[in-house]
Amino acid sequence: MILPLWAPLAARAQLPVVISSGPDKVAVTLYRDPERGEAPLDRDEPGAFALIAETRTVMLPPGEAVIRFEGVASGIVPQSAILFGAPPRERNRDAALLSQKGLVDAFTGQRVILRRTDPASGRTVEESATVRSAADRLVVTTMRGVEALYCSGLHQTLLYPGAPATLSAKPVLTMTTRDQPGGPATITLAYIATGFDWDATYVGTLAPHGQSLDLLGWLTLASADDTSFADATASAIAGRVNRSEDSRDDSGERAREEARYLNRFSACWPAGTTSDLGSGTPPPPAPPPMAMMMAGEDIVVTAQRRQEGMLSAPAPVAVVARAENLGDLKLYRIPVPVTVAARAQKQVAFLVKQKVKGSLVYRTEMRWEEPDDPRMLFRFRNGRKDGLGDPLPAGRAVLYQDSPWGRMYVGESTTGDKTVDEEVEWSFAQASNLTLEPEQEEAGKGILHHNLVVRNANPFPIRFEIDFPANGGRLFSGFSGRLTKKPGKQVWAMTVPANGTIRLRFRSAGQPN
């Protein structure tokens, strides 16, 4: 029974290996995390994925062969890989990376050279050692006996005779082809990789009269992968897509982190001072590489290095991503090759609109007896006749306004996905030039008479709205004006004159819940 089991494995091991060191062309399409909603992009650990298509040229021998794809994304999901141009038979992601832990694992049970500082003389000495255990701690056997390295506090390192052929300095995917004629072949490898995400940022400049704004939209492409894709065709997909558990597989990323990370200091006993011995808590291990912060890195804006704060600068936009339809989704394609760099972000403009018509609105909501503090928002309809008419992917919006003292920051807002002809409201800040003075008078049996004074300190008229919830526990009535019904509420809207005051009178009835 042994020979039939081993014969296919031996035959497979004898297959010729074709090494493809890197792609000739690559396309990277980033998808947005559908579960993130309006939450900000996590630039340290992006939670979505990318579809990567690599075109490579290889020389195939006749018959079956093993193609070794080097330089694939470290977060590759192996089961998603598709090969075009050569018939694949099987595939395997090689997670054994050339790293400290990878070397220790590869040389377990073998002899290496231990270089260390002699505690008696202070000199650097070398001696033969055998690696015995490398699960979480590095244990070796020397002429002195069995010991755990890195616990003495003195310099210690291992010297290896060479790098095993099973270890790779770059992420690797191997595929075994079926029987084929051989010769030069142009093949395309497509796969999903985790550790990517993107977001939209809108920078608006409000006109002095508050009835329009100039709008600039940016795509932020984020990669936490270890592989850089140079001169790539990059694009982003807007919209919600379903994801299976297979496409969420991050085993490649976990294997990469585990291969790099060797716990040097935990389980050293004794550790610290004598006062620490009673706690029984070892010192925490050093963080793995992926826990490093990326906040200090520069942001790449259309091949120019700029700081993130420069996003709002009113500079000419050289490159604008083009919007294309992809079923019910929207694809934003960057028209020039760019580098999707490892553990970095890139900003590219995708929307440039001038004089988008809208209105500055001050709004509050009536709670039990008194209204909330009013907030300022900009409302517009996403239509072509209003100067826009393009889908707006979810993200955040930053508002500025020109003033006699220059361009001033007004506030920020978050927004969900907005379609064409949909009404959009961006709430930016708490109102400061509009104040409310509520007064109530009890009339018995839970009835209140309300008198609300609204004061506008702006040198121009403003639109003021107050929302009355339909299911808030009180019934509001007796309005002097007409209300507009909206889902779950009624809205009373009016114009407050420049530097003027209006009074609103109504009544409410109900008992606290």
Side-chain angles (χ1 to χ4, degrees):
M1 295 295 293
I2 297 179
L3 286 178
L5 288 173
W6 279 98
L9 296 177
R12 187 179 306 173
Q14 298 302 318
L15 292 178
V17 177
V18 178
I19 298 178
S20 175
S21 59
D24 302 325
K25 294 187 299 182
V26 61
V28 181
T29 303
L30 281 74
Y31 288 76
R32 192 179 189 275
D33 185 355
E35 298 180 356
R36 185 158 52 85
E38 297 181 13
L41 169 68
D42 188 341
R43 303 191 182 194
D44 296 328
E45 297 182 7
F49 61 97
L51 174 63
I52 300 175
E54 303 177 357
T55 301
R56 302 177 180 230
T57 303
V58 295
M59 180 65 71
L60 297 176
E64 297 180 352
V66 176
I67 306 178
R68 182 180 173 90
F69 296 96
E70 296 183 347
V72 296
S74 58
I76 184 174
V77 180
Q79 57 268 37
S80 69
I82 303 175
L83 185 62
F84 302 94
R89 191 182 72 186
E90 63 182 54
R91 57 200 169 194
N92 178 59
R93 190 216 183 274
D94 187 357
L97 295 180
L98 183 60
S99 61
Q100 179 177 228
K101 188 174 186 300
L103 285 170
V104 171
D105 289 341
F107 280 91
T108 299
Q110 302 182 42
R111 286 192 173 274
V112 295
I113 300 298
L114 173 59
R115 177 183 291 171
R116 66 164 122 202
T117 301
D118 189 302
S121 64
R123 295 183 302 170
T124 299
V125 298
E126 294 182 356
E127 59 184 303
S128 177
T130 302
V131 179
R132 292 303 183 190
S133 175
D136 292 315
R137 295 290 309 134
L138 179 51
V139 178
V140 298
T141 301
T142 66
M143 293 291 292
R144 308 183 187 190
V146 179
E147 60 180 299
L149 294 190
Y150 309 123
C151 287
S152 67
L154 300 176
H155 173 73
Q156 296 173 322
T157 188
L158 293 181
L159 303 179
Y160 303 90
T166 56
L167 298 183
S168 172
K170 297 183 290 186
V172 173
L173 178 75
T174 59
M175 279 197 174
T176 303
T177 68
R178 297 174 183 171
D179 191 15
Q180 37 81 33
T186 299
I187 57 178
T188 299
L189 176 66
Y191 57 88
I192 290 174
T194 58
F196 295 84
D197 202 353
W198 73 272
D199 209 0
T201 302
Y202 303 94
V203 180
T205 302
L206 189 65
H209 49 69
Q211 302 303 308
S212 68
L213 58 75
D214 295 339
L215 193 59
L216 177 60
W218 293 92
L219 296 178
T220 299
L221 312 180
S223 168
D225 203 85
D226 280 348
T227 302
S228 293
F229 300 96
D231 296 328
T233 300
S235 55
I237 297 290
R240 262 185 101 84
V241 296
N242 292 329
R243 292 181 63 187
S244 68
E245 291 301 319
D246 287 344
S247 70
R248 300 174 188 269
D249 178 19
D250 61 351
S251 58
E253 181 178 348
R254 291 199 305 270
R256 172 176 52 82
E257 291 185 11
E258 292 171 358
R260 286 181 166 189
Y261 180 57
L262 179 66
N263 190 345
R264 292 189 173 202
F265 302 109
S266 74
C268 287
W269 187 263
T273 64
T274 55
S275 62
D276 299 327
L277 297 180
S279 66
T281 303
M290 283 303 296
M292 296 177 64
M293 297 296 293
M294 295 192 299
E297 296 181 354
D298 288 344
I299 306 296
V300 182
V301 183
T302 60
Q304 297 179 0
R305 305 292 282 180
R306 299 188 180 186
Q307 296 297 328
E308 186 175 10
M310 292 292 289
L311 266 178
S312 60
V317 178
V319 177
V320 179
R322 300 170 182 170
E324 305 173 14
N325 292 322
L326 185 66
D328 284 344
L329 306 175
K330 205 71 171 180
L331 183 146
Y332 294 92
R333 189 187 308 276
I334 302 175
V336 297
V338 297
T339 295
V340 181
R343 300 179 301 279
Q345 304 100 46
K346 179 183 296 295
Q347 263 94 18
V348 179
F350 75 97
L351 182 72
V352 181
K353 296 292 182 179
Q354 304 292 326
K355 297 182 179 179
V356 178
K357 297 178 182 178
S359 58
L360 198 61
V361 179
Y362 291 80
R363 185 174 65 189
T364 186
E365 180 177 351
M366 192 69 189
R367 293 300 183 180
W368 181 251
E369 294 181 354
E370 295 185 354
D372 284 342
D373 292 333
R375 295 191 62 84
M376 182 177 64
L377 60 91
F378 186 79
R379 177 186 297 151
F380 60 94
R381 180 161 293 278
N382 184 13
R384 294 194 180 278
K385 67 177 183 179
D386 296 310
L388 194 50
D390 291 322
L392 301 178
R396 68 186 182 106
V398 183
L399 185 67
Y400 294 85
Q401 189 170 27
D402 291 331
S403 74
W405 301 275
R407 202 159 179 254
M408 297 296 180
Y409 171 79
V410 176
E412 297 183 15
S413 180
T414 59
T415 179
D417 293 319
K418 300 298 181 180
T419 62
V420 176
D421 291 328
E422 184 176 359
E423 187 177 79
V424 182
E425 291 183 350
W426 289 343
S427 177
F428 289 100
Q430 184 173 323
S432 57
N433 285 348
L434 183 109
T435 58
L436 305 179
E437 299 175 8
E439 298 176 359
Q440 300 88 29
E441 180 181 346
E442 293 187 6
K445 297 183 179 181
I447 299 176
L448 293 177
H449 290 281
H450 298 266
N451 182 24
L452 180 62
V453 179
V454 183
R455 301 185 186 278
N456 176 24
N458 289 293
F460 50 83
I462 58 98
R463 178 181 174 87
F464 173 70
E465 296 180 358
I466 179 169
D467 294 348
F468 294 91
N471 54 357
R474 291 190 72 85
L475 179 64
F476 296 94
S477 61
F479 300 100
S480 56
R482 180 178 298 180
L483 276 70
T484 301
K485 290 186 177 181
K486 291 190 176 183
K489 63 182 180 181
Q490 298 184 88
V491 180
W492 194 4
M494 69 288 299
T495 299
V496 185
N499 298 309
T501 301
I502 62 172
R503 294 179 180 271
L504 308 178
R505 293 182 176 86
F506 55 94
R507 62 177 177 269
S508 65
Q511 297 293 334
N513 294 329

